[in-house]
Amino acid sequence: DEIDEKRRYKFPYLACELLVSDIPSIYSAIVENKKHLKLLFDFLTQPSPLPPSLSLYFVRVLQTLYNKRPQEVTDYIQKQDGTLAYNFVRHIETFGMNELILTLLGTMDEEDRLQNNCCMAQWWMGHNFVSQLF
């Protein structure tokens, strides 16, 4: 059915394109309202495997948001419990998820990188990220 096809492919694609467009007010709207960030991260609560095209949209949106507003995304992630870390690990085999985790650990200004990467690494380690991989 045509409506189902639009819901599955066209609408998520358009939403992704809007969310990664270079419009600062979109980034602000997302990070300033924690409900929006929660909705974004709730994508990871789905059972594995994640739908490939949707997971790519998720990765793209989160990488863009993190590159544009790293402090706010870092602060949000660090305030989450171990469920978020578990959800990342649960989907580590999903295409792009490993790169997203590396992005969350490594793309910032040099000054911010030293402070935030250390904090993010501590957050991952505090939630037994490495042990969950095995």
Side-chain angles (χ1 to χ4, degrees):
D1 170 276
E2 186 178 329
I3 293 175
D4 286 339
E5 289 297 311
K6 283 184 179 180
R7 230 178 236 155
R8 287 170 80 194
Y9 300 107
K10 185 177 181 180
F11 294 154
Y13 168 77
L14 291 174
C16 176
E17 290 301 312
L18 285 171
L19 293 172
V20 301
S21 61
D22 200 14
I23 303 173
S25 58
I26 290 177
Y27 308 132
S28 295
I30 295 170
V31 298
E32 290 171 6
N33 186 334
K34 301 309 178 217
K35 289 180 183 178
H36 293 147
L37 283 171
K38 181 179 179 340
L39 284 172
L40 180 62
F41 282 101
D42 278 352
F43 177 75
L44 296 173
T45 63
Q46 297 179 61
S48 198
L50 293 172
S53 61
L54 297 181
S55 64
L56 289 176
Y57 298 149
F58 169 78
V59 167
R60 187 168 171 219
V61 167
L62 194 53
Q63 283 179 329
T64 300
L65 187 61
Y66 186 73
N67 286 332
K68 299 294 182 177
R69 303 292 292 266
Q71 188 62 54
E72 291 89 341
V73 174
T74 299
D75 289 347
Y76 179 82
I77 290 172
Q78 290 176 344
K79 290 177 182 170
Q80 304 310 301
D81 62 14
T83 305
L84 183 58
Y86 170 76
N87 286 334
F88 271 109
V89 171
R90 191 165 55 123
H91 298 298
I92 194 83
E93 293 180 7
T94 300
F95 183 75
M97 199 62 65
N98 55 351
E99 289 182 28
L100 175 60
I101 291 169
L102 291 175
T103 297
L104 294 174
L105 286 171
T107 54
M108 289 189 196
D109 297 351
E110 186 63 35
E111 186 176 311
D112 289 340
R113 183 176 293 137
L114 294 174
Q115 177 184 357
N116 289 325
N117 281 0
C118 178
C119 295
M120 285 299 292
Q122 288 174 351
W123 181 85
W124 287 108
M125 298 308 271
H127 293 292
N128 299 317
F129 176 71
V130 175
S131 65
Q132 289 181 39
L133 289 172
F134 301 102

